[in-house]
Amino acid sequence: MSWQSFTVHTYEAVLVAPNTPGYPNVHSFIRLYWGGKTQATLWFYADGTANIPANTSGTQYYARFRQSHYSACVDLLRNEKPVAFQWNEQTKGAFLVTGPEPVGDGELP
């Protein structure tokens, strides 16, 4: 199966306090919305976590990352447009990507 791509319309970022019940080793998560509802959740696990759960799908997509990837993901969502969530159902691979950008476009001050 090939990669699916979904343009993200809005997002919600959540920082999780250490040792919050029900969120073992979770540093933060980001909910991605398109089509008017939550479609994907990006989970960010503490960098020292040995066993990070596998990516899954169903009525929503769940992608797991290391805590160190959180800032880069928030930066993409905050500063780039368009941003898409890409998913491969066969491999359970996931990407958060920007659209094509011109070379030398630079960043806003």
Side-chain angles (χ1 to χ4, degrees), residues 10-47:
T10 57
Y11 71 96
E12 176 183 24
V14 178
L15 295 175
V16 178
N19 301 315
T20 297
Y23 296 87
N25 298 315
V26 174
H27 167 269
S28 53
F29 59 94
I30 300 173
R31 292 185 186 110
L32 304 178
Y33 298 85
W34 62 86
K37 61 183 181 175
T38 305
Q39 301 283 3
T41 302
L42 310 181
W43 293 94
F44 297 87
Y45 286 81
D47 286 332

Side-chain angles (χ1 to χ4, degrees), residues 70-104:
Y70 178 79
S71 293
C73 288
V74 169
D75 184 63
L76 283 177
L77 291 163
R78 183 182 296 143
N79 297 309
E80 303 295 337
K81 190 174 182 178
V83 173
F85 176 77
Q86 294 182 341
W87 179 263
N88 186 304
E89 186 61 39
Q90 182 179 359
T91 66
K92 305 298 187 216
F95 295 127
L96 188 64
V97 302
T98 66
E101 297 187 38
V103 173

